[in-house]
């Protein structure tokens, strides 16, 4: 009995620790006072001002554009690569997987500065293009790491059966393999999208003047004090993500229930 | 099926944007530009062993080790609690551990600034009950707190995913054979969960040792860690050669220790480094 109480207490404390700062951001997004730490009454004005703030809106625009494009390109290249890697013999596979693990394991700051050196070396102006290249580069490995396990679970006979039934290799790939590994592709794409949205360090070193994402904007504000509009924006983003995840989770749970009842 | 060519775009991409940049960093790290032009040197690496910089390294390792230890002490029981929760709640508990990571990393760290600063909430609370206010911001403690806060999920999730895979029969067998709870934990659960602990330690220690944002925001710049040192070389002092040498050093340390740890991680058999 005591043990159970202690467990709950401990769990609650950890969750409070995790959520306290987020709660504070949310509360301050409704605060009618510019200074953090002072409560000046309830207001929605930061939410209104958010949409007319050109600095934040431009950062949001670049964040979303970069996240969508880099996730799509990374998913395309990564999925194709996984299908090819799956075919390789052990030696080639381990060589290429070691290459894949480098950006995953490497410190962000080292990846960031090494890309920056490359872009400056080949005289590519730092900006949207370099930012996109950088994001695609760190996204691809996560797509491969999500898709490859799916391919390994795949029954190789399915593909052979499709060929025996007269499908061309392309048709079989498109109608048999791709649908089978779709969950892995979607996980990989979502993973890439969120990594891109949240990235600061690599973006910081690979973007140029005029192009900055939300993280960079927040970083440049942090020492002077963040605009309350940012709190409003992050509240909106947080609630959106929370709702989406809860919907996905309840659907997944319902599917489990259905399977268990069947 | 022979579709090997569809890997080529990826291989070309990774050579261009992973291999070539690393070669560039390496070549910057072993050269020095002077009036006589480029010359090969190991001076940049030697400079790193100057007590000034070695202390930065030791300080970074220290803070990262302390944060990793705290994450392990806080995270292991939490992973156990989640793993033993009824299945109906379990996914929810994991989900609620992941959700904070969807909030921008800088914003979460910034939120701690508004909690810890002189006129922040914690100090307001203290003064309102007539206690003296504390100097919380810009200390080692604040940096460690920032690291623990940001990286705790990286410790809990790998341990959790190993714990739920442990065969319950093993635990019951140990109990049937007369082991008490402590003994079951020490002799069965803990050894079986070690792969999760290893990957958790790696996943917390690596970002902790190289972060430059957390010390910059919570440590107030006076605590230079290795990440700040690298950033400085490239963005303010313009010493790319020295910055590249530190980066190469970090890269080698990280790849080497991950490779070593990877040997314990049986899940990634044949896929990991080496």
């Amino acid at each position: 009995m005591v043990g159970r109480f202690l467990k709950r207490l401990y769990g609650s404390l950890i969750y409070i620790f995790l959520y306290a700062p987020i709660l504070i951001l949310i509360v301050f997004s409704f605060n009618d006072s510019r200074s953090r730490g002072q409560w000046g009454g309830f207001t929605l004005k930061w939410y209104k001002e958010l949409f007319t703030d050109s600095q934040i809106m431009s950062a949001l625009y670049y964040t979303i554009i970069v996240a969508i494009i880099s996730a799509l390109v990374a998913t395309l290249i990564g999925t194709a690569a996984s299908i090819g890697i799956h075919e390789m013999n052990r030696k080639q596979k381990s060589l290429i997987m070691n290459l894949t693990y480098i950006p995953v394991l490497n410190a962000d700051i080292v990846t960031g500065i090494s890309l920056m050196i490359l872009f400056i070396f080949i005289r590519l102006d730092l900006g949207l293009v370099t930012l996109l290249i950088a994001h695609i580069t760190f996204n691809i490995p996560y797509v491969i790491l999500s898709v490859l396990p799916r391919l390994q679970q795949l029954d190789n006979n399915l593909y052979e059966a499709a060929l025996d039934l007269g499908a061309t290799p392309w048709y079989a790939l498109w109608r048999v393999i791709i649908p089978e590994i779709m969950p892995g592709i979607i996980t990989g794409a979502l993973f890439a999208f969120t990594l891109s949205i949240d990235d600061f360090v690599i973006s910081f070193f690979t973007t140029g003047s005029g192009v900055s994402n939300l993280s960079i904007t927040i970083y440049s504000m942090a020492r002077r004090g963040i605009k309350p509009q940012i709190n409003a924006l992050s509240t909106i983003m947080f609630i959106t993500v929370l709702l989406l995840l809860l919907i996905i989770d309840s659907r997944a749970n319902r599917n489990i229930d259905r399977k268990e009842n069947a | 099926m022979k579709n090997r060519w569809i890997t080529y775009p990826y291989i070309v991409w990774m050579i261009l944007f992973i291999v070539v940049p690393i070669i560039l960093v390496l070549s910057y790290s072993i050269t020095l530009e002077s009036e006589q032009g480029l010359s090969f040197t190991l001076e940049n690496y030697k400079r790193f062993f100057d007590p000034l910089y070695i202390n930065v390294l030791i300080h970074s390792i220290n803070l990262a080790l302390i944060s990793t230890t705290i994450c392990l002490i806080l995270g292991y029981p939490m992973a156990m609690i989640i793993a033993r929760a009824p299945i109906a709640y379990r996914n929810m508990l994991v989900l609620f551990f992941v959700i904070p990571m969807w909030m921008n990393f800088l914003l979460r760290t910034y939120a701690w600034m508004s909690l810890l600063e002189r006129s922040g909430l914690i100090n307001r609370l203290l003064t309102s009950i007539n206690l003296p206010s504390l100097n919380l911001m810009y200390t080692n403690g604040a940096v460690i707190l920032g690291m623990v806060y940001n990286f705790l999920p990286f410790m809990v999730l790998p341990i959790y995913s190993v714990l739920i895979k442990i065969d319950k029969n093993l635990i019951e067998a140990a109990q049937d054979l007369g082991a008490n709870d402590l003994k079951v934990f020490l002799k069965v659960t803990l050894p079986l969960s070690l792969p999760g602990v290893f990957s958790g330690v790696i996943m917390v220690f690596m970002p902790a040792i190289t972060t430059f944002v957390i010390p910059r925001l919570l440590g107030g710049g006076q605590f230079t860690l290795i990440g700040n040192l690298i950033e400085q070389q490239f963005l303010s002092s313009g010493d790319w050669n020295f910055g590249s040498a530190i980066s190469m050093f970090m890269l080698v340390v990280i790849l080497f220790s991950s490779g070593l740890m990877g040997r314990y991680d049986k899940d990634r058999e044949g896929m990991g480094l080496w």
Side-chain angles (χ1 to χ4, degrees):
Chain A
M1 225 33 211
V2 178
R4 206 159 147 210
F5 172 75
L6 277 178
K7 262 190 201 170
R8 291 216 168 149
L9 181 72
Y10 185 78
S12 316
L13 284 176
I14 295 275
Y15 281 109
I16 290 172
F17 173 62
L18 284 179
Y19 281 87
I22 294 174
L23 207 68
I24 285 177
L25 285 180
I26 294 176
V27 169
F28 278 113
S29 74
F30 298 108
N31 182 14
D32 197 0
S33 152
R34 260 195 175 271
S35 93
R36 45 183 193 197
Q38 205 125 45
W39 180 251
F42 180 87
T43 181
L44 284 174
K45 73 174 174 197
W46 307 123
Y47 287 85
K48 268 181 246 149
E49 283 179 25
L50 168 66
F51 296 99
T52 53
D53 187 310
S54 60
Q55 189 193 9
I56 297 176
M57 280 296 125
S58 134
L60 181 64
Y61 168 78
Y62 281 122
T63 306
I64 292 176
I65 286 287
V66 169
I68 291 176
I69 298 179
S70 71
L72 281 178
V73 176
T75 307
L76 212 66
I77 299 179
T79 305
S82 310
I83 293 171
I85 292 170
H86 185 60
E87 306 288 293
M88 291 176 169
N89 63 39
R90 214 182 151 76
K91 215 170 159 189
Q92 289 168 319
K93 202 183 209 167
S94 82
L95 181 73
I96 203 158
M97 285 317 287
N98 282 344
L99 186 67
T100 305
Y101 271 110
I102 291 177
V104 176
L105 297 170
N106 203 355
D108 280 356
I109 189 167
V110 178
T111 307
I113 61 117
S114 68
L115 281 166
M116 182 186 84
I117 289 181
L118 173 78
F119 296 143
I120 292 175
F121 193 77
I122 59 173
R123 302 224 158 72
L124 194 60
D125 283 335
L126 294 179
L128 185 59
V129 175
T130 52
L131 189 62
L132 272 172
I133 293 176
H135 278 234
I136 294 168
T137 306
F138 72 72
N139 275 339
I140 300 177
Y142 291 94
V143 175
I144 294 181
L145 294 179
S146 318
V147 174
L148 209 53
R150 280 270 158 191
L151 280 164
Q152 276 155 353
Q153 287 165 12
L154 195 72
D155 185 352
N156 277 329
N157 294 327
L158 282 177
Y159 180 79
E160 307 276 323
L163 292 188
D164 288 348
L165 291 169
T168 62
W170 265 116
Y171 190 78
L173 180 70
W174 190 247
R175 298 303 292 264
V176 179
I177 308 270
I178 299 284
E180 280 290 318
I181 60 173
M182 206 39 146
I185 298 176
I186 291 172
T187 314
L190 282 177
F191 211 170
F193 183 79
T194 41
L195 282 172
S196 168
I197 282 205
D198 208 41
D199 177 68
F200 165 70
V201 178
I202 296 173
S203 311
F204 184 65
F205 288 101
T206 52
T207 191
S209 58
V211 182
S212 86
N213 63 14
L214 277 175
S215 300
I216 296 172
T217 310
I218 293 166
Y219 181 72
S220 64
M221 288 179 183
R223 294 307 283 279
R224 288 175 281 131
I226 279 178
K227 286 185 188 172
Q229 289 93 316
I230 289 278
N231 292 343
L233 177 63
S234 37
T235 304
I236 296 175
M237 288 170 76
F238 182 71
I239 304 280
T240 316
V241 168
L242 188 67
L243 287 177
L244 272 176
L245 286 177
L246 289 181
I247 292 169
I248 294 169
D249 191 65
S250 72
R251 286 188 148 209
N253 273 346
R254 214 183 303 152
N255 284 342
I256 293 171
D257 289 346
R258 221 177 281 153
K259 267 179 207 158
E260 276 171 359
N261 292 337
Chain B
M1 44 181 167
K2 289 281 162 258
N3 296 317
R4 209 172 292 169
W5 59 270
I6 63 175
T7 327
Y8 294 163
Y10 171 65
I11 295 176
V12 171
W13 188 283
M14 292 313 258
I15 288 174
L16 279 179
F17 299 115
I18 292 295
V19 179
V20 172
I22 289 176
I23 293 172
L24 280 173
V25 174
L26 178 67
S27 48
Y28 266 102
S29 76
I30 52 171
T31 50
L32 239 136
E33 234 168 314
S34 59
E35 289 101 61
Q36 292 94 26
L38 280 179
S39 56
F40 170 81
T41 178
L42 287 175
E43 203 49 45
N44 300 311
Y45 288 93
K46 241 164 86 188
R47 247 181 90 191
F48 189 52
F49 290 94
D50 185 317
L52 180 70
Y53 300 120
I54 280 295
N55 280 341
V56 172
L57 180 67
I58 292 171
H59 189 54
S60 313
I61 293 176
N62 252 339
L63 290 192
L65 270 183
I66 296 171
S67 315
T68 310
T69 314
I70 296 175
C71 279
L72 183 59
I73 293 169
L74 288 179
Y76 199 101
M78 195 61 210
M80 269 178 87
I81 290 174
I82 299 179
R84 293 199 179 151
I87 300 177
Y89 305 118
R90 207 195 275 158
N91 283 340
M92 223 38 159
L93 289 174
V94 174
L95 191 64
F96 276 100
F97 232 91
V98 182
I99 286 172
M101 294 205 276
W102 286 66
M103 193 97 171
N104 192 293
F105 158 71
L106 283 139
L107 269 178
R108 282 179 282 143
T109 309
Y110 173 75
W112 276 109
M113 290 171 77
S114 49
L115 272 168
L116 298 176
E117 68 189 348
R118 266 253 169 254
S119 58
L121 278 176
I122 292 177
N123 274 328
R124 268 162 198 282
L125 214 70
L126 286 176
T127 40
S128 71
I129 50 172
N130 288 324
L131 286 169
S133 65
L134 296 170
N135 202 1
L136 299 164
M137 271 290 274
Y138 310 133
T139 58
N140 277 337
V143 176
I144 292 171
L145 177 82
M147 288 178 179
V148 171
Y149 178 74
N150 277 302
F151 304 135
L152 184 61
F154 297 145
M155 181 67 81
V156 173
L157 296 174
I159 298 179
Y160 161 79
S161 56
V162 172
L163 283 178
I164 51 165
K165 278 191 221 140
I166 291 178
D167 190 347
K168 295 237 162 39
N169 294 329
L170 290 174
I171 292 167
E172 277 167 25
Q175 283 164 342
D176 288 348
L177 292 168
N180 58 22
D181 284 354
L182 183 68
K183 207 159 188 185
V184 170
F185 176 75
L186 288 177
K187 296 272 178 185
V188 181
T189 314
L190 186 64
L192 285 174
S193 67
L194 279 184
V197 173
F198 281 132
S199 39
V201 166
I202 276 280
M203 285 177 76
V204 173
F205 187 75
M206 291 302 169
I209 200 170
T210 54
T211 177
F212 78 97
V213 179
I214 295 172
R216 176 52 70 82
L217 293 182
L218 296 173
Q222 51 172 321
F223 296 103
T224 310
L225 298 193
I226 207 85
N228 306 78
L229 192 63
I230 298 178
E231 182 218 355
Q232 244 174 38
Q233 303 312 314
F234 283 94
L235 298 186
S236 44
S237 28
D239 192 344
W240 285 24
N241 304 93
F242 184 44
S244 298
I246 313 172
S247 303
M248 277 318 289
F249 177 79
M250 290 312 296
L251 177 65
V252 169
V253 170
I254 287 172
L255 291 189
F256 185 74
S257 45
S258 311
L260 220 61
M261 285 291 192
R263 286 172 188 271
Y264 291 98
D265 195 349
K266 292 184 185 104
D267 281 350
R268 288 197 314 210
E269 213 169 43
M271 279 176 70
L273 275 157
W274 299 303

